[in-house]
Amino acid sequence: MMMKRQGLGLLRAILVLVGVSALCSVALGTRRGNASLDQRSNKHRHAGHLSMRRHKQRMGKEGQVLHRSKRGWVWNQFFVIEEYTGPDPVLVGRLHSDVDSGDGNIKYILSGEGAGTIFVIDDKTGNIHATKTLDREEQAQYTLTAQAVARENNRPLEPPSEFIVKVQDINDNPPEFLHGPYYARVPEMSNVGTSVMQVTATDADDPTYGNSARLVYSILKGQPYFSVDPQTGTIRTALPNMDREARQEYDVVIQAKDMGGHMGGLSGTTEVKITLTDVNDNPPKFPHSVYPMSVSEDKVPGEEVGRIKAKDPDLGDNGMVNYRLIDGDGINMFELTTDSETREAVIKLKKPVDFETKRSYTLKVEGSNPHIDPQFLAWGPYKDEATIKISVEDADEPPVFVAPSYMFEVEENAPEGTLVGRVHAKDTDVANNPVRYMIPRYTDVEQFFSINSEDGMIITTRPLDREAQAWHNISVSATEIGGHHQDTKVRVNIKVKDVNDNSPEFATNNEVLMCETVVPGKIIETVSAVDKDEMAHRQHFTFTLAPEVAHNNNFSLKDNRDSTASIYVLRKGFSRLTQDVYYIPIEINDNGFPALSSTNTLTIRVCSCDSKDTILSCNVEPYVLPAGLSTGALIAILACIVILLAIVVLFVALRRQKKEPLIVFEEEDIRENIITYDDEGGGEEDTEAFDIATLQNPDGANGFLPRKDIKPELQFPIRPGLGRPAANSVDVDDFIKTRIAEADSDPTAPPYDSIQIYGYEGRGSLAGSLSSLESVTTESDLDYDYLQSWGPRFKKLADLYGTKDCSFNDGDDGDDS
């Protein structure tokens, strides 16, 4: 940056000098394109003078003035150096007209782009100055219009004329790489000069003027691996055999410099990251030529033995390696697969190996590239070989049975201890230890068999029944004595041979239905037999009537000699009223060894049939029913019974819905009951004329009240001394006291006395409680004189209780109550 700033300062100094020389050239008449301004001015003066002389001659000769004025200056364009930073405005040029005699009567006017702001003109002399620093990259030229007018009245003296002020370029913009940084890829091992990519820089300076925009490319970083074309910016490889496996990425710096690369030019740089892409230029290689491995003889096929891998530094498909077994004495005992993730060759066991038979194997493995680049074919071969030596390790193996399975036969009903067969196993290890045998209990749950643990002899433990179980499938386990308790099991299938020990019997035990009208000689049934024993191809059954019915007059039997027999009717006239069931014993014989026979009973039931021998009924009960009652009559009788039962049930239900009072009341018991008492309120909480809660007996609120449906268990006699007053007694006080005493002493008595309404008048009353029910127990003299001051509502009570010696008559008693 410091060097760049110093270069820019030097450039500015040069621009100032160039600007000064340009100003001098403008003042002295330097040529650029057309004639210089000063020369034009001289021509203008000469032409002006010439015009003025001709004007005077014509006026002298003709005595008239020409009305058309000829313009005295001619120009195409002016030039201004950009970025000029001098102390004074830059003189662009000077305008002068032939009609200007220098007396100040002519005024020059400038209009157009930047007139008055960027460009100003001296209206007297016609000098044009640039007041601001111009940048060609912002605007390369300005179009202006000049005109000469009379100063007094601004009358145009000449038509307006356009001219162009061009901004002369200087080298003030460095080259720029607009698309950097760049990323490129090139295959490894590419030839020298292989094009990698092209970079392009731009310069904002004028490409048509000088060398400000002429760029030259060079490489600052990345040599000697790459080079760049100085004119086009194309990057190429500069070294042969660049190997990606040695170095994959390169950082290259490219510089673009203007002024054709000469000193004093501006420059710009960009970075290019170049990556070498992979090609298949490396064959696979096994790190070792021989790989030792081992496998135990107790391994099963499919288990892994070991892995090897060939190294290939190439990437992707170029580095892929295929493996195969090409030789070795273990090529039939082992197999090779490839792990898709790790790209390793996996050696697996193909067949079981035996340490006692063969203790080592050899395999030869080849690893090769499936994708070969023809360009590098001469660098091959693209494959490698390795040898694998596999040793077999000895293992304590379980015993091996000489047969994969066993099948024996034994007759049913054979006595306990009958020999079934023998199994044999041997130890295949070098030690050849003895073997012990046993039958796992889960294979012979009922323990029909046992085995000798030393020689493997299997015998029965009880008689076998073929009809219950024809086959017994058990297992025998063999364990090496003194080994690692490894066992081997073998399947033993035992068939129970059949013995003729089951008598034949009817195939079905269905009843035979026979019509009463059956005709003699008709076959009413064909019977067959079955035998639980195993049926042979030549085995058959014979049928005969039992001796006790051999000469009966009702039925006969004919053996069909095909293990079936037909039952015939010998007479007619069967009646189910006389006999509805017949039992025919039939003897069945088989031809087994030894031959067995059994007697089975055939049941024949007599039935009523229609004319087509269709059975209607085989029961005798309908004939016992009394005549005259049809089925419809029976249904009607049952319907009437059901209706009567429904009426009775409804009546009982309605009766149960009527609830009777549970408290015993005697209608004949006439008491002086207070039914309604409207005069006295129950205090502030009394909102009704009568509160039914006041009828509750305080003694029975938390106790037992007698019920109508419950008989009291205890009877409490009336206390002595509490005599019932006479019915015609006028002493109400004694009457009340007597009733209170009775109620207190008799807990089984219902609350008949309505005097209990005074037990509670409510809370909050100013009068408090008026009850005298506690007078019996308190034995205190209460003063009720204050009732006189309570008003007319308590007048009657005041008369009753206000004076101790009050007497009551019968009529008042009834009213006051």
Side-chain angles (χ1 to χ4, degrees), residues 262-276:
H262 296 295
M263 183 168 300
L266 303 179
S267 64
T269 61
T270 186
E271 293 184 358
V272 182
K273 186 177 287 294
I274 301 176
T275 302
L276 298 182

PDB file of all heavy atoms in Angstrom, residues 262-276:
ATOM      1  N   HIS A 262       4.937  -1.337 -18.082  1.00  0.00           N
ATOM      2  CA  HIS A 262       6.107  -0.500 -17.834  1.00  0.00           C
ATOM      3  C   HIS A 262       6.043   0.099 -16.438  1.00  0.00           C
ATOM      4  O   HIS A 262       4.994   0.088 -15.775  1.00  0.00           O
ATOM      5  CB  HIS A 262       6.174   0.612 -18.886  1.00  0.00           C
ATOM      6  CG  HIS A 262       6.375   0.095 -20.272  1.00  0.00           C
ATOM      7  ND1 HIS A 262       7.518  -0.564 -20.681  1.00  0.00           N
ATOM      8  CD2 HIS A 262       5.548   0.133 -21.372  1.00  0.00           C
ATOM      9  CE1 HIS A 262       7.403  -0.897 -21.951  1.00  0.00           C
ATOM     10  NE2 HIS A 262       6.205  -0.496 -22.400  1.00  0.00           N
ATOM     11  N   MET A 263       7.149   0.653 -16.043  1.00  0.00           N
ATOM     12  CA  MET A 263       7.225   1.245 -14.725  1.00  0.00           C
ATOM     13  C   MET A 263       6.306   2.452 -14.656  1.00  0.00           C
ATOM     14  O   MET A 263       6.209   3.227 -15.613  1.00  0.00           O
ATOM     15  CB  MET A 263       8.668   1.634 -14.408  1.00  0.00           C
ATOM     16  CG  MET A 263       8.834   2.194 -13.004  1.00  0.00           C
ATOM     17  SD  MET A 263      10.544   2.327 -12.511  1.00  0.00           S
ATOM     18  CE  MET A 263      11.098   0.664 -12.618  1.00  0.00           C
ATOM     19  N   GLY A 264       5.724   2.616 -13.527  1.00  0.00           N
ATOM     20  CA  GLY A 264       4.759   3.693 -13.331  1.00  0.00           C
ATOM     21  C   GLY A 264       3.330   3.265 -13.569  1.00  0.00           C
ATOM     22  O   GLY A 264       2.391   3.997 -13.242  1.00  0.00           O
ATOM     23  N   GLY A 265       3.113   2.064 -14.123  1.00  0.00           N
ATOM     24  CA  GLY A 265       1.747   1.574 -14.326  1.00  0.00           C
ATOM     25  C   GLY A 265       1.129   1.060 -13.035  1.00  0.00           C
ATOM     26  O   GLY A 265       1.818   0.711 -12.079  1.00  0.00           O
ATOM     27  N   LEU A 266      -0.193   1.034 -13.051  1.00  0.00           N
ATOM     28  CA  LEU A 266      -0.934   0.526 -11.891  1.00  0.00           C
ATOM     29  C   LEU A 266      -1.216  -0.955 -12.088  1.00  0.00           C
ATOM     30  O   LEU A 266      -1.321  -1.448 -13.228  1.00  0.00           O
ATOM     31  CB  LEU A 266      -2.238   1.302 -11.718  1.00  0.00           C
ATOM     32  CG  LEU A 266      -2.088   2.814 -11.560  1.00  0.00           C
ATOM     33  CD1 LEU A 266      -3.457   3.469 -11.412  1.00  0.00           C
ATOM     34  CD2 LEU A 266      -1.193   3.155 -10.379  1.00  0.00           C
ATOM     35  N   SER A 267      -1.389  -1.669 -10.982  1.00  0.00           N
ATOM     36  CA  SER A 267      -1.569  -3.126 -11.056  1.00  0.00           C
ATOM     37  C   SER A 267      -2.645  -3.585 -10.069  1.00  0.00           C
ATOM     38  O   SER A 267      -2.967  -2.898  -9.102  1.00  0.00           O
ATOM     39  CB  SER A 267      -0.255  -3.859 -10.755  1.00  0.00           C
ATOM     40  OG  SER A 267       0.165  -3.601  -9.423  1.00  0.00           O
ATOM     41  N   GLY A 268      -3.171  -4.759 -10.346  1.00  0.00           N
ATOM     42  CA  GLY A 268      -4.129  -5.439  -9.468  1.00  0.00           C
ATOM     43  C   GLY A 268      -3.864  -6.928  -9.481  1.00  0.00           C
ATOM     44  O   GLY A 268      -3.347  -7.472 -10.463  1.00  0.00           O
ATOM     45  N   THR A 269      -4.199  -7.614  -8.395  1.00  0.00           N
ATOM     46  CA  THR A 269      -3.923  -9.047  -8.277  1.00  0.00           C
ATOM     47  C   THR A 269      -5.184  -9.811  -7.934  1.00  0.00           C
ATOM     48  O   THR A 269      -6.170  -9.248  -7.444  1.00  0.00           O
ATOM     49  CB  THR A 269      -2.863  -9.315  -7.193  1.00  0.00           C
ATOM     50  OG1 THR A 269      -3.360  -8.842  -5.940  1.00  0.00           O
ATOM     51  CG2 THR A 269      -1.551  -8.634  -7.528  1.00  0.00           C
ATOM     52  N   THR A 270      -5.139 -11.108  -8.162  1.00  0.00           N
ATOM     53  CA  THR A 270      -6.221 -12.022  -7.769  1.00  0.00           C
ATOM     54  C   THR A 270      -5.613 -13.367  -7.426  1.00  0.00           C
ATOM     55  O   THR A 270      -4.509 -13.708  -7.868  1.00  0.00           O
ATOM     56  CB  THR A 270      -7.250 -12.180  -8.893  1.00  0.00           C
ATOM     57  OG1 THR A 270      -8.350 -12.971  -8.421  1.00  0.00           O
ATOM     58  CG2 THR A 270      -6.658 -12.887 -10.102  1.00  0.00           C
ATOM     59  N   GLU A 271      -6.367 -14.140  -6.615  1.00  0.00           N
ATOM     60  CA  GLU A 271      -5.923 -15.464  -6.201  1.00  0.00           C
ATOM     61  C   GLU A 271      -6.658 -16.536  -6.980  1.00  0.00           C
ATOM     62  O   GLU A 271      -7.869 -16.409  -7.226  1.00  0.00           O
ATOM     63  CB  GLU A 271      -6.151 -15.666  -4.703  1.00  0.00           C
ATOM     64  CG  GLU A 271      -5.285 -14.790  -3.829  1.00  0.00           C
ATOM     65  CD  GLU A 271      -5.489 -15.097  -2.352  1.00  0.00           C
ATOM     66  OE1 GLU A 271      -6.335 -15.961  -2.053  1.00  0.00           O
ATOM     67  OE2 GLU A 271      -4.812 -14.469  -1.523  1.00  0.00           O
ATOM     68  N   VAL A 272      -5.936 -17.567  -7.338  1.00  0.00           N
ATOM     69  CA  VAL A 272      -6.503 -18.709  -8.048  1.00  0.00           C
ATOM     70  C   VAL A 272      -6.109 -19.961  -7.275  1.00  0.00           C
ATOM     71  O   VAL A 272      -4.902 -20.227  -7.102  1.00  0.00           O
ATOM     72  CB  VAL A 272      -6.016 -18.777  -9.504  1.00  0.00           C
ATOM     73  CG1 VAL A 272      -6.670 -19.967 -10.213  1.00  0.00           C
ATOM     74  CG2 VAL A 272      -6.298 -17.480 -10.235  1.00  0.00           C
ATOM     75  N   LYS A 273      -7.122 -20.728  -6.789  1.00  0.00           N
ATOM     76  CA  LYS A 273      -6.859 -21.989  -6.086  1.00  0.00           C
ATOM     77  C   LYS A 273      -7.063 -23.115  -7.087  1.00  0.00           C
ATOM     78  O   LYS A 273      -8.173 -23.339  -7.582  1.00  0.00           O
ATOM     79  CB  LYS A 273      -7.806 -22.152  -4.898  1.00  0.00           C
ATOM     80  CG  LYS A 273      -7.485 -23.378  -4.056  1.00  0.00           C
ATOM     81  CD  LYS A 273      -8.408 -23.457  -2.852  1.00  0.00           C
ATOM     82  CE  LYS A 273      -8.030 -22.405  -1.827  1.00  0.00           C
ATOM     83  NZ  LYS A 273      -6.692 -22.633  -1.227  1.00  0.00           N
ATOM     84  N   ILE A 274      -5.980 -23.808  -7.372  1.00  0.00           N
ATOM     85  CA  ILE A 274      -5.990 -24.868  -8.377  1.00  0.00           C
ATOM     86  C   ILE A 274      -5.888 -26.208  -7.662  1.00  0.00           C
ATOM     87  O   ILE A 274      -4.993 -26.423  -6.827  1.00  0.00           O
ATOM     88  CB  ILE A 274      -4.841 -24.689  -9.380  1.00  0.00           C
ATOM     89  CG1 ILE A 274      -4.962 -23.322 -10.074  1.00  0.00           C
ATOM     90  CG2 ILE A 274      -4.850 -25.818 -10.406  1.00  0.00           C
ATOM     91  CD1 ILE A 274      -3.824 -23.015 -10.999  1.00  0.00           C
ATOM     92  N   THR A 275      -6.800 -27.119  -7.984  1.00  0.00           N
ATOM     93  CA  THR A 275      -6.846 -28.452  -7.382  1.00  0.00           C
ATOM     94  C   THR A 275      -6.565 -29.491  -8.450  1.00  0.00           C
ATOM     95  O   THR A 275      -7.154 -29.454  -9.550  1.00  0.00           O
ATOM     96  CB  THR A 275      -8.220 -28.718  -6.747  1.00  0.00           C
ATOM     97  OG1 THR A 275      -8.497 -27.712  -5.769  1.00  0.00           O
ATOM     98  CG2 THR A 275      -8.261 -30.087  -6.088  1.00  0.00           C
ATOM     99  N   LEU A 276      -5.676 -30.419  -8.132  1.00  0.00           N
ATOM    100  CA  LEU A 276      -5.392 -31.524  -9.045  1.00  0.00           C
ATOM    101  C   LEU A 276      -6.422 -32.623  -8.835  1.00  0.00           C
ATOM    102  O   LEU A 276      -6.637 -33.088  -7.715  1.00  0.00           O
ATOM    103  CB  LEU A 276      -3.985 -32.069  -8.797  1.00  0.00           C
ATOM    104  CG  LEU A 276      -2.812 -31.099  -9.015  1.00  0.00           C
ATOM    105  CD1 LEU A 276      -1.494 -31.818  -8.780  1.00  0.00           C
ATOM    106  CD2 LEU A 276      -2.848 -30.498 -10.407  1.00  0.00           C
TER     107      LEU A 276
END
